[in-house]
Amino acid sequence: MSKFISIEEAVKLIPDGASVMFGGFMGCGNAHKFIDALSKSGVKDLTMICNDGSMPGGFMGEDYYGVAKLIHNKQVKKLIATHVGLNPEVATQSMQEGTLEVVLLPQGSFAEMIRAHGAGLGGVLTPTGVDTLVEDSPFCMGKQNLNGKDYLLMAPIHADVALLGTYKCDEAGNCWYKGTMRNFNPVMATAADLVIAETEYVVPVGEIEPENVMTQGIFVDYVVDGGKL
């Protein structure tokens, strides 16, 4: 059965209240055409799991870049991220309006916590955040002392859906990311119940050399053709 579906069909797979991982770093590696369609769909109360809230103003003249569209539309109820300083609407909605819950995590811990779920691990032990506000995070399961050093036990992060932004996908769903598009996409592909990859180019099986496959097709449920940006 083909994994290829239209963006319109894929958007319908995300219900109100879903938790969604969005690959990307300040918009690089976001699935831009999918996110644009999602921003027009009316879906609401999303939990967004993303490195950041992107930013107003895109490189191609957009008013809102990548996931910033969803935040601007107030389609996001909860944001789990590592930094949000370049999107002032996050501060407005969370600190002034009280319409957005924000959970901030150290970036390295965030990546490892996602990887931990994909690997079936029970958590991540890290010294990052000891004796800081990270200890109050809903993801912190307590402090452990090993060989005289304190660590925090951080829970794995899982989502209902992972939305990947890729450069090339072959007809079996194997993915290749160009440059820094790679960022969080590969680990997020392993940590969600449903994985949707948007790709700029669709290529035949075999065009991506096996050693260059960055997300294996077995992790990808559906592929949407985002077209060359």
Side-chain angles (χ1 to χ4, degrees), residues 44-75:
K44 61 183 185 298
D45 296 332
L46 297 174
T47 293
M48 177 186 289
I49 304 166
C50 188
N51 178 68
D52 50 74
S54 194
M55 54 191 170
F59 300 103
M60 299 179 70
E62 307 94 333
D63 289 334
Y64 299 94
Y65 191 55
V67 297
K69 295 176 181 178
L70 304 177
I71 293 170
H72 174 71
N73 290 349
K74 298 187 177 179
Q75 293 172 270

Side-chain angles (χ1 to χ4, degrees), residues 3-218:
K3 295 186 177 187
F4 285 80
I5 60 176
S6 69
I7 288 180
E8 292 75 19
E9 290 172 316
V11 165
K12 292 178 181 177
L13 298 174
I14 299 181
D16 290 347
S19 58
V20 185
M21 289 180 176
F22 294 84
F25 190 106
M26 298 314 302
C28 179
N30 277 174
H32 288 280
K33 292 194 174 180
F34 189 103
I35 290 170
D36 185 61
L38 190 63
S39 73
K40 299 171 182 175
S41 71
V43 68
K44 61 183 185 298
D45 296 332
L46 297 174
T47 293
M48 177 186 289
I49 304 166
C50 188
N51 178 68
D52 50 74
S54 194
M55 54 191 170
F59 300 103
M60 299 179 70
E62 307 94 333
D63 289 334
Y64 299 94
Y65 191 55
V67 297
K69 295 176 181 178
L70 304 177
I71 293 170
H72 174 71
N73 290 349
K74 298 187 177 179
Q75 293 172 270
V76 181
K77 178 176 68 176
K78 182 176 183 179
L79 172 62
I80 302 170
T82 76
H83 76 91
V84 293
L86 294 182
N87 187 342
E89 290 202 4
V90 174
T92 299
Q93 293 181 28
S94 62
M95 300 176 69
Q96 297 179 22
E97 299 174 358
T99 56
L100 176 64
E101 178 185 357
V102 177
V103 178
L104 289 175
L105 294 166
Q107 192 171 91
S109 300
F110 177 75
E112 279 296 286
M113 292 157 69
I114 295 169
R115 187 190 67 82
H117 182 86
L121 303 179
V124 174
L125 275 176
T126 174
T128 304
V130 170
D131 297 329
T132 74
L133 291 175
V134 177
E135 293 189 10
D136 298 326
S137 167
F139 289 98
C140 183
M141 299 186 291
K143 187 183 293 186
Q144 306 286 325
N145 187 281
L146 299 177
N147 299 318
K149 185 173 181 177
D150 287 335
Y151 296 84
L152 299 184
L153 180 60
M154 305 297 290
I157 298 179
H158 160 267
D160 299 321
V161 182
L163 181 57
L164 315 179
T166 77
Y167 190 72
K168 289 183 183 178
C169 279
D170 69 20
E171 293 161 348
N174 297 303
C175 303
W176 183 79
Y177 308 98
K178 184 175 182 179
T180 55
M181 289 179 73
R182 188 168 184 171
N183 52 65
F184 291 91
N185 282 300
V187 289
M188 288 181 171
T190 70
D193 297 332
L194 179 72
V195 177
I196 302 169
E198 177 184 297
T199 187
E200 295 184 24
Y201 294 95
V202 179
V203 298
V205 172
E207 181 163 321
I208 304 173
E209 295 86 349
E211 64 271 23
N212 289 333
V213 172
M214 297 171 181
T215 292
Q216 292 77 19
I218 194 170

